[in-house]
Amino acid sequence: MNPYHVFKFVPLSVLQMLARFVAWVIVKIPSLSIMRTIHINMALITDKLSEPQKRALTKDIIYHQCLSSIESIKSWAMPPEWSIAQIRDVHNKDILLEGLANPNGMLAIVPHLGTWEMMNAWLNQFGSPTIMYKPVDGRFANEFILQGRARLNATLVPTDGSGVKAVFKTLKQGGFSIVLPDHVPDPSGGVVVPFFGIKTLTSTLASKLASKTKCALVGLSCIRRNDGRGFDIYCYKLDDPALYDRNTEVATHALNQAMEHMIKDNYSHYMWGYRRFKRIPNLGNPYRKDKATLAAFIRSHHANASRSGNDVSGSLLMTLTSIIASNNCTIVY
């Protein structure tokens, strides 16, 4: 028996309590890799947060990331009906329905934001999407996730050329697919464009599919409710003409901007523990640099951004400050 199946029998409330305890432990150990990754990501995208603000925001990010992880595992262990029952409200559902009705198909843009795995079962009610799947490390973990996704209507295809062709065919036939476009691609599958002001390698898959098929683009996120009673789904209409530009850099940059808008709505629910910026021109992997080299790059970046008028940290600061001041950051650790 796969040991992960034990999660089927543990109530979600108990698992969430465990996740909160794990978050408390992580925050107490600043030397952990995930803590360092979050600190570096925060330093890269804004230099205007005070140390107390950084600590408060980091706590909130860790809290939500631990909860999203355990909630995803629970959703894989349970039948689709259970996950669907956790969805309480859908904001701007008409945007999704309009996208699904597009004769050129629909591509759901789903960043690493909130508990997106919980949303999969709900989204699969609307058809049989073609989804690219990359096996995870560990036989038991991979089998567990595959079994969870096999319960859905989705067709899983590999993350290679054959998988891309399958997604393309689905869109051409008026179907839909789901893409997480904010992972770090191989150099051959990406271009360097800004994400929260940092020029970094970014996947071009979604932009190329949109340009070739003219499919509808709909942003989706699944966010835990503040009252703790389930999840809300948010739909975003992504209709900027630049998203369909034949110039891949223009289209990919526009997609990053669209994702930034989605993330700012629920900033601390984004997976900032992910090493999103590990391929930066003229720096390389910031998560492996010594403190002096990294600090010099960050100072230079923010100074250049301010001089060029491309500094995103000002508007971002307002977003972060409001988050820190909200109830979301009054978590007791």
Side-chain angles (χ1 to χ4, degrees):
M1 178 179 176
N2 192 310
Y4 284 94
H5 286 305
V6 70
F7 287 95
K8 181 177 182 179
F9 306 102
V10 184
L12 179 61
S13 58
V14 175
L15 293 175
Q16 290 173 326
M17 188 181 303
L18 174 62
R20 292 186 186 98
F21 173 73
V22 171
W24 179 83
V25 172
I26 290 173
V27 169
K28 295 294 182 181
I29 310 176
S31 60
L32 288 178
S33 175
I34 188 173
M35 290 288 286
R36 183 171 184 270
T37 297
I38 293 172
H39 289 154
I40 290 174
N41 286 339
M42 294 301 99
L44 284 168
I45 65 176
T46 181
D47 61 340
K48 302 182 186 301
L49 288 179
S50 66
E51 287 304 316
Q53 286 176 322
K54 289 179 183 177
R55 287 194 295 270
L57 185 59
T58 299
K59 284 182 179 181
D60 207 32
I61 290 169
I62 290 291
Y63 168 81
H64 288 298
Q65 188 158 332
C66 287
L67 280 171
S68 292
S69 296
I70 204 73
E71 290 159 354
S72 295
I73 294 173
K74 179 66 173 176
S75 71
W76 290 323
M78 301 299 289
E81 295 76 17
W82 180 88
S83 295
I84 294 170
Q86 308 310 308
I87 306 302
R88 297 293 181 257
D89 199 5
V90 181
H91 301 263
N92 300 314
K93 185 178 179 180
D94 57 307
I95 293 175
L96 174 65
L97 296 179
E98 181 184 345
L100 290 168
N102 191 307
N104 295 323
M106 186 196 82
L107 192 61
I109 301 299
V110 182
H112 291 81
L113 177 64
T115 310
W116 64 90
E117 292 290 353
M118 190 73 72
M119 182 174 61
N120 272 349
W122 178 86
L123 189 56
N124 271 252
Q125 296 178 104
F126 297 95
S128 302
T130 300
I131 304 174
M132 300 180 76
Y133 175 75
K134 182 178 181 179
V136 300
D137 294 333
R139 179 172 66 88
F140 287 122
N142 190 57
E143 287 178 355
F144 175 68
I145 295 173
L146 277 176
Q147 288 173 4
R149 291 183 174 173
R151 301 188 188 105
L152 306 178
N153 294 324
T155 298
L156 302 181
V157 296
T159 55
D160 56 20
S162 65
V164 173
K165 289 180 180 178
V167 172
F168 180 79
K169 182 179 179 181
T170 296
L171 296 175
K172 293 292 287 184
Q173 293 175 343
F176 75 99
S177 183
I178 306 167
V179 173
L180 278 72
D182 54 340
H183 69 280
V184 180
D186 293 328
S188 61
V191 293
V192 174
V193 291
F195 184 60
F196 281 98
I198 298 293
K199 291 183 178 180
T200 190
L201 189 67
T202 303
S203 172
T204 60
L205 174 61
S207 299
K208 288 181 177 179
L209 287 170
S211 176
K212 291 180 179 179
T213 66
K214 306 304 179 186
C215 62
L217 296 175
V218 176
L220 294 173
S221 65
C222 182
I223 304 299
R224 187 179 312 100
R225 292 169 60 99
N226 290 334
D227 60 11
R229 298 179 179 178
F231 303 81
D232 284 356
I233 291 175
Y234 294 83
C235 308
Y236 298 82
K237 188 172 184 176
L238 310 184
D239 56 358
D240 181 351
L243 292 164
Y244 297 89
D245 200 290
R246 291 185 178 181
N247 184 315
T248 307
E249 290 189 17
V250 171
T252 306
H253 185 199
L255 185 58
N256 273 357
Q257 290 179 314
M259 285 193 291
E260 288 175 24
H261 172 69
M262 295 173 62
I263 293 166
K264 285 178 181 178
D265 282 351
N266 293 282
Y267 186 87
S268 56
H269 290 254
Y270 187 67
M271 198 169 70
W272 289 109
Y274 178 55
R275 297 186 172 188
R276 176 65 184 86
F277 301 106
K278 67 181 181 181
R279 285 178 173 159
I280 300 176
N282 303 320
L283 178 68
N285 189 338
Y287 311 104
R288 294 183 178 178
K289 297 296 180 182
D290 60 85
K291 290 184 178 180
T293 301
L294 181 58
F297 173 83
I298 291 172
R299 284 195 302 270
S300 175
H301 164 72
H302 289 303
N304 291 336
S306 296
R307 285 195 296 268
S308 64
N310 294 323
D311 187 7
V312 300
S313 61
S315 61
L316 183 59
L317 176 64
M318 296 178 63
T319 300
L320 300 184
T321 302
S322 64
I323 292 170
I324 293 166
S326 70
N327 290 333
N328 287 342
C329 277
T330 56
I331 302 161
V332 178
Y333 284 90

